[in-house]
Amino acid sequence: GENVEQHPSTLSVQEGDSAVIKCTYSDSASNYFPWYKQELGKGPQLIIDIRSNVGEKKDQRIAVTLNKTAKHFSLHITETQPEDSAVYFCAASGPGGGADGLTFGKGTHLIIQP
Amino acid sequence: GAVVSQHPSRVICKSGTSVKIECRSLDFQATTMFWYRQFPKQSLMLMATSNEGSKATYEQGVEKDKFLINHASLTLSTLTVTSAHPEDSSFYICSAPPPGLRGTQYFGPGTRLTVL
């Protein structure tokens, strides 16, 4: 089955700086890669996603890049703000589309220092 | 946007009792829903796939007789934890894929189960 590795487990950055979180996946058949933000005691919130036919996607301060050959994808957050502090999870899904569950990375605790 | 709700948000029960958790898609229909479990400071692990009108499919290592899933309608899936024990204490989260967005899943707010 799919295996998703995520690094780092904890990331502390100064407010206003950029944060980068990286993930690798093992199954070359995976074709959908979402990123979720989870605050304490809440369910994950989808913040951005990318499909395997696209190399990069951007939404305001958030961007995701995908390298299919190397099987890795990254989340980039620019101009970080205190409200960006949370746990971020990457995930991968197979070719079954909506019929596939997601395989998650272990998460990155992002801390924005004021 | 697509909204998924869960009920209850928090439940405390005695060891040996059964607990039912509901997952609803509020503004779309979902023939498939997913159930995940998350232990403290850990990631989400897929437990099972709930299929409307047919049996759920369980991930390896998940006991189907302990975690009963019923997908009674296109907007409701239920997870029943039977004969709960303290080691079943966890955060249970459901998700549903909205129509037309291949692969996308929206998650519910989660249910915190504590078994005494």
Side-chain angles (χ1 to χ4, degrees):
Chain A
E2 176 65 276
N3 182 47
V4 177
E5 299 282 343
Q6 183 172 347
H7 298 280
S9 56
T10 303
L11 178 59
S12 182
V13 301
Q14 289 293 125
E15 182 179 352
D17 289 349
S18 296
V20 180
I21 303 171
K22 298 182 178 181
C23 289
T24 61
Y25 61 99
S26 61
D27 189 349
S28 56
S30 290
N31 60 5
Y32 175 68
F33 308 93
W35 286 88
Y36 288 89
K37 176 183 180 182
Q38 187 178 32
E39 297 177 342
L40 191 63
K42 297 184 178 180
Q45 175 190 3
L46 178 67
I47 57 172
I48 197 167
D49 56 11
I50 192 167
R51 302 179 192 278
S52 59
N53 59 345
V54 176
E56 184 174 356
K57 184 177 179 180
K58 188 174 182 180
D59 182 5
Q60 299 182 346
R61 297 187 296 111
I62 297 173
V64 55
T65 60
L66 171 65
N67 183 326
K68 284 171 51 180
T69 303
K71 289 189 283 189
H72 66 69
F73 55 113
S74 301
L75 176 71
H76 304 252
I77 305 175
T78 59
E79 303 172 21
T80 54
Q81 301 168 2
E83 52 265 37
D84 294 331
S85 295
V87 179
Y88 290 80
F89 291 97
C90 64
S93 178
D100 287 340
L102 293 169
T103 300
F104 282 83
K106 291 189 182 300
T108 296
H109 186 191
L110 177 61
I111 302 166
I112 307 301
Q113 303 279 6
Chain B
V3 177
V4 177
S5 71
Q6 279 183 244
H7 178 80
S9 59
R10 186 181 297 266
V11 57
I12 301 173
C13 69
K14 293 182 179 180
S15 185
T17 60
S18 295
V19 174
K20 180 185 285 188
I21 302 170
E22 292 184 349
C23 177
R24 294 182 185 273
S25 55
L26 296 185
D27 53 359
F28 64 97
Q29 294 182 333
T31 56
T32 301
M33 292 183 178
F34 302 92
W35 287 96
Y36 295 81
R37 180 168 52 182
Q38 185 179 32
F39 292 109
K41 298 187 177 181
Q42 294 189 22
S43 188
L44 288 80
M45 296 296 293
L46 179 65
M47 297 175 65
T49 302
S50 174
N51 304 297
E52 191 269 337
S54 64
K55 292 183 179 180
T57 53
Y58 292 80
E59 295 300 301
Q60 192 172 11
V62 178
E63 300 174 57
K64 60 181 67 176
D65 293 332
K66 181 168 186 61
F67 298 100
L68 301 179
I69 292 174
N70 185 0
H71 199 137
S73 76
L74 289 172
T75 58
L76 173 64
S77 174
T78 60
L79 169 68
T80 301
V81 183
T82 63
S83 186
H85 291 283
E87 56 265 32
D88 298 323
S89 298
S90 188
F91 195 47
Y92 292 86
I93 316 172
C94 69
S95 73
L101 296 176
R102 189 173 177 85
T104 301
Q105 291 186 30
Y106 289 109
F107 283 80
T111 297
R112 173 72 59 192
L113 171 64
T114 303
V115 185
L116 302 177

